Amino acid sequence: MKKVVTQVIGIDLGGTAIKLGRFTSEGTCLKSLTVDTPQPATPEAVIEAIVDAVAKIDPEGQAVAIGVGTPGPADATGRIAKIAINLPQWRNVFLADILEAKIGKPTIIDNDANCAGLGEAWLGGGRFYENFILLTLGTGVGGAIFLDGKLFTGSFGAAGELGLIGLIPDGPQCKSGNQGSLEQHTSIIAIRRRTGKEPAELGALAEKGDAQALTFWQEYGKHLGIGVTSLIYVLTPEAVVIGGGVSASFEFFLPSMKAEIERRVMPTSRVNLQIIRAELGNAAGMLGAAKLAFEKIVKG
């Protein structure tokens, strides 16, 4: 008799792209698809795009559940997208209920960085650690916290917004309402604002030994190290995992980041601390969203 393989769909909803995958409980991706996020990315347009894409990657309806990572906090029950900072008109969207009604599969949602963290904890750079933090350095800066092997989301589901901590009091205004946040100094948008270049371009220049690019990454690592210092003092993690598109230049900013942490953090708060690059790349979010569905729906 042929063994029935339990499958779920993991969805990573971003401001420019929606990534979907159909996964087994071992994390094997059976089929994946990336579609453009509709512009403007209103809830109605995005939900229609998700429904159409799910039909394409699961035409026979084999998946038993759906997990979705959204670019902003969800409520503690995993039903409501409270805010999506980079998506217009996203306020208290009952995303899980709507997708369940349209697709007919039980659905759960969480912050996209939390999902990336779940992916890295499952099959990526975080799998060797019980206590670690993930920073996703992308268009914005997201974060995830793992304590004693479990994702920490706080009383109301919104904990772990690590990119929104204060860094420089009179720095650029943040969409969160903060000013001079870590995100405003280390995101892709911040890099563009400061240099007029894309991170990949700066990485390529650094590869060639360009002095200005190398200096930029040195300063970048310093800012990142200062921000992470606060997180280390609060959480004393075993590891800091760095993901997102900017992590492609990890080798160029790691030395100054580590030096800043070692200068600012007492040895007792950073015993055997590891600073590592995430392993799953762009697949982390949808893989983690699938893990969320397995943990909260299939097993729950």
Side-chain angles (χ1 to χ4, degrees):
M1 176 180 271
K2 187 177 180 180
K3 182 181 178 181
V4 177
V5 178
T6 303
Q7 303 172 24
V8 303
I9 293 172
I11 302 174
D12 181 8
L13 170 58
T16 58
I18 305 170
K19 304 178 188 73
L20 305 93
R22 180 158 51 91
F23 294 90
T24 69
S25 58
E26 287 76 40
T28 301
C29 185
L30 302 173
K31 191 172 183 179
S32 64
L33 177 66
T34 299
V35 299
D36 292 335
T37 303
Q39 302 300 329
T42 60
E44 295 78 13
V46 168
I47 288 166
E48 183 178 346
I50 290 175
V51 172
D52 290 344
V54 167
K56 290 176 182 175
I57 67 164
D58 190 23
E60 297 178 7
Q62 294 172 280
V64 299
I66 297 172
V68 185
T70 66
D75 73 312
T77 65
R79 309 294 301 170
I80 305 168
K82 302 291 287 182
I83 300 171
I85 293 175
N86 294 314
L87 301 179
Q89 302 177 33
W90 282 71
R91 293 290 186 277
N92 296 319
V93 177
F94 286 75
L95 185 59
D97 290 347
I98 297 169
L99 290 177
E100 285 180 352
K102 289 182 176 290
I103 300 174
K105 310 279 186 186
T107 301
I108 189 160
I109 70 173
D110 203 341
N111 173 274
D112 54 358
N114 284 343
C115 287
L118 283 167
E120 290 290 338
W122 186 17
L123 296 171
R127 67 190 184 278
F128 303 112
Y129 307 100
E130 290 287 296
N131 299 282
F132 75 92
I133 60 175
L134 170 76
L135 279 174
T136 57
L137 308 173
T139 304
V141 174
I145 300 169
F146 282 78
L147 301 176
D148 297 327
K150 296 180 180 179
L151 177 67
F152 175 74
T153 59
S155 301
F156 307 105
E161 290 286 357
L162 306 184
L164 303 183
I165 65 170
L167 182 66
I168 297 176
D170 57 352
Q173 192 68 36
C174 182
K175 288 183 179 179
S176 67
N178 195 2
Q179 186 176 0
S181 65
L182 181 63
E183 177 173 285
Q184 291 303 309
H185 294 277
T186 56
S187 66
I188 290 175
I189 290 175
I191 291 171
R192 288 173 185 158
R193 182 178 61 238
R194 180 176 169 187
T195 68
K197 293 180 172 64
E198 295 295 318
E201 184 180 357
L202 288 162
L205 288 169
E207 284 275 5
K208 296 175 182 177
D210 182 87
Q212 284 187 317
L214 290 169
T215 298
F216 166 76
W217 287 120
Q218 184 178 22
E219 287 296 312
Y220 180 91
K222 180 178 180 179
H223 280 136
L224 194 57
I226 294 170
V228 170
T229 289
S230 298
L231 303 175
I232 293 169
Y233 270 128
V234 174
L235 298 166
T236 59
E238 297 169 83
V240 177
V241 182
I242 304 294
V246 182
S247 68
S249 292
F250 184 71
E251 65 182 292
F252 300 117
F253 63 75
L254 177 63
S256 58
M257 178 186 178
K258 287 180 69 173
E260 203 64 30
I261 290 170
E262 288 171 4
R263 187 171 76 85
R264 292 173 178 268
V265 180
M266 294 189 301
T268 49
S269 294
R270 52 177 171 86
V271 177
N272 296 324
L273 175 68
Q274 303 297 306
I275 302 173
I276 61 174
R277 185 178 170 186
E279 296 181 4
L280 300 177
N282 287 331
M286 60 179 183
L287 187 63
K291 182 65 171 175
L292 180 72
F294 277 119
E295 286 188 350
K296 300 295 186 179
I297 297 175
V298 179
K299 292 180 181 178

